[in-house]
Structures are given as C-alpha cells and as structure tokens.
Amino acid sequence: MILAHITALVWAWSSVLAFEIVEKENIFQKTPCPAFLVFDNAAYLTDMSFELPCHCKPEEVPAVVWYYQKHLGSSHTTVLTDFEGRLLTEETQVHVGSDMLVRFSIRMFSLLVFRAQPEDSGLYFCGTRRGDYFYAYDVDIQSSEGMVATFKDKGQEPFADKYYGSLHVFTTFWEWTPCDRCGVHGEQWRIGLCYLQSPDLSPRYHKTLPDVVSCGSRAVTRKLRAKTRAHPPELLVQNCLVPCEKRNLIQKGVLAIYNYISKVGSRPWVPQVPIQFHQQSLGRGLILSCPGARPEHAVAWDKDNQPLYRTQYLKGVNRSMRVFIDYGNHLHIRFTQLSDRGIYYCWRQGVRIAGFRLGVSSRRSRSPVSLSDPETRSAVELTLLGYLLITAVFVIIHLCRGCCYLFRCCPDVTP
C-alpha cells in the first residue's frame, strides 16, 4: 500500500515537471519575432518602476542583452546587462536620483527599471551581445513636476480634450487605487497621463489604438510635441470609506488588552505598528517615505489621530504650505517646528504599516563640519575675505610708509 502511494506521488511530481518544461519551452514559441522591428509604446510617471518583457527570442539564444538609445539611430548606445542576463538589483537598494545603470535589473529575460526618471525616456532593445535585436519598446516617462490635481468631490473636472486640426490631445486615466484607509474616511485616486492621436505618426511605432501614442513618444515629431506641453499629467482624487478586515479588528482587540494590562504594570505598551524614532533639529527640513510604497500605491499619512488628507495637504493646493504630500507619496516638513512633534503613521493599500515618532530639539546637535553645508561655506568665505582685507590694509600702510620715506614727504616719527 505504501509503495503504491509512493509510485503515485512520483508520477504526479514527474507530471508537474513535464508540464513546467513544456510551458517554459512554449513561452517564446507563442510570439514569433517580427520580421520588421517595431516599438511598443509604454508610458509611466516619474519614480515608478516598470518591467519590459522580451516577448520573443530564438530558442538557440541562451541569454538576452538589453540596449538603450535616447533616439533612434543615435551613435551612443548604452548596454544594460552583464552579458550573462543574470544581473539582479533589489528595488530597496535604489536611491532617488541614482544613475540608470544602477537602477535596473534583468530577471527571466525581462528588464526591470526602478524609480524611473524623465531622462530614462527612450528606446529599449532586447537582443544578443552581437547586436541582433528581437523586440523593442518606446518608453515615455512623464514628469510629475507640473502635475495637476483634480478633486472630484469639490465639483472639479479633469482637463478637456484639445483639438489642433487632425491632432487630438487627451488624458488617459489608470484604474482607481483602493481606499488608502480603512475604518475611517479615506481617499482614492487615479493617475492620468498625456496621450495624443494623429495620422502623422511614424509607422515603426506600435499603437494599442489607431494613431494613438503617449505625448512623449519618439513617434511624435517636435512640431506636434510642442502643442502637448500645455497638457501635463493629472491626478483625480475622490473620497471613500471601506471597512477593515476582520483580522485587523482582532489584532486591535488583542492590542487593547495589552495596553490595559500595561497600565496595571504587568506588561509594556505594545504599538499597533512598528515605530521608528527620529530626532530632528529645529528649523531643518524633513522628508518621510512610507516603507515599500511606490507612486502608484494608495498611501496615506496621519499625525497622531489627525488624518492628513490630500484635499488639504497635497503639493500645490496652497503655495505657502509648510507640510505637504508630494505626488510620490512622500511627506515633506519644511522648517521643522516644535509643534511638529508626534507620531506620523503611514498607510499603504488601506493598511497602516508603520509609524515615525518625530522629536524636535531646539539645540542643533553637533555634526562633523562639511564644505557641502551652505552655512559652513559662507563662514569659510567670510573668514577668508576678512583675512584678505586685513592683509590688503597691512600692505597699503607699509607701501605708504615706504613712499614717504623715499620721497621725504613725511616727518621722521622715530624717537
């Protein structure tokens, strides 16, 4: 009986392996490589991470090499690989503003680019180390600097479509994010990117809809692109209210019991989420990032028990904002004040995941002197300028005394 069970398990395992092998062999057989290389158009927002799969390659090619060009036919081509197709980079290791060469990874023939920037826009080719291309993408990274927020519950409407003869400029919105909070009133939003429709586009660029590409596509001529500058990306925001999951309610009940016991003195206080402490000097700026969050995620911020809604704290709502949330879901505090002390909670995809206990000290802590500090540079410049002025006065006085001595213009003051 035991032998029969073992035989059945071995047969089932071999069937699974055979199924996996068949699937892996048929991945690139389903999509034949095009005889004429065309570019798939894709658009993203700044700081987003995206994946470009290599949909086709010859079976005899064991590894792919990814190439990047700013413009088609450019003499400068960047190689994005280690020539083995195994380069791995974790998104948590990528810092804001890093060069693209340290912000990409290759996994299963696909290219992953983390924290994309507008300068990453261009053409991406999947090919071999000899320079044979199989698949290509036209990537457009649209900047969030001029992004416009529209609040649906205030009666505001997105940008209207614009027509310039045969050119049609419009906004394409993504799906709504989930509610950024649960159990209380929250917000949800959808990102809108600029697209256009025109019959004057290059046929080498593949379009999902006829004659439709993103505004920053390489298929768009300079003349057409100049007319799209007045149509920036958009953010459509609306209110929402969803209940929390049952497991969160159970966890809150257990924490409430712990807190009650801690008052008696038997157990210490247990926070609902991990809390990180940060000490900030008075008057300095601070930027808080939600762990594991990306621009396309639903992220919310609370100060203690006060929600920081985007209708009041989104960047650009008020020009004189000292505390605001940018379009990358970061919380900015300019010129930290003593009233900023407290715990700042971070929500991600409707779940509170982390907290930051902020302490503000009136005395600035001693830090190593660095010339990169503007105050240090100003102090050094003033000190050097003072020494130069003293030296100049000293030299001028001695020159005058020398001239008087030579031409006998001054009486002898020596005793």
Side-chain angles (χ1 to χ4, degrees), residues 343-378:
I343 301 179
Y344 293 84
Y345 292 102
C346 166
W347 298 73
R348 188 186 68 195
Q349 300 294 89
V351 179
R352 184 184 288 184
I353 62 170
F356 302 89
R357 182 185 292 273
L358 178 62
V360 181
S361 60
S362 57
R363 295 181 180 179
R364 295 187 178 181
S365 59
R366 294 184 179 179
S367 58
V369 178
S370 174
L371 291 177
S372 60
D373 186 6
E375 296 181 359
T376 304
R377 288 200 303 268
S378 300

Side-chain angles (χ1 to χ4, degrees), residues 321-352:
M321 297 179 68
R322 191 181 60 85
V323 179
F324 62 90
I325 302 172
D326 65 13
Y327 295 107
N329 298 323
H330 304 101
L331 179 64
H332 295 249
I333 303 177
R334 292 178 175 176
F335 311 110
T336 309
Q337 300 178 0
L338 295 177
S339 59
D340 294 327
R341 293 171 177 172
I343 301 179
Y344 293 84
Y345 292 102
C346 166
W347 298 73
R348 188 186 68 195
Q349 300 294 89
V351 179
R352 184 184 288 184

Side-chain angles (χ1 to χ4, degrees), residues 270-325:
V270 179
Q272 297 181 3
V273 293
I275 302 293
Q276 179 181 353
F277 178 76
H278 180 77
Q279 187 74 17
Q280 185 74 3
S281 299
L282 185 66
R284 297 280 185 128
L286 179 66
I287 301 177
L288 298 179
S289 299
C290 191
R294 297 197 296 268
E296 62 269 26
H297 284 166
V299 177
W301 291 94
D302 297 341
K303 181 187 177 184
D304 296 326
N305 295 324
Q306 176 187 359
L308 304 180
Y309 291 117
R310 278 174 166 75
T311 52
Q312 300 174 353
Y313 291 93
L314 186 64
K315 179 181 179 181
V317 173
N318 190 346
R319 292 185 178 180
S320 60
M321 297 179 68
R322 191 181 60 85
V323 179
F324 62 90
I325 302 172

Side-chain angles (χ1 to χ4, degrees), residues 248-258:
N248 291 338
L249 296 176
I250 295 174
Q251 185 179 8
K252 286 184 178 180
V254 174
L255 291 174
I257 296 174
Y258 278 154

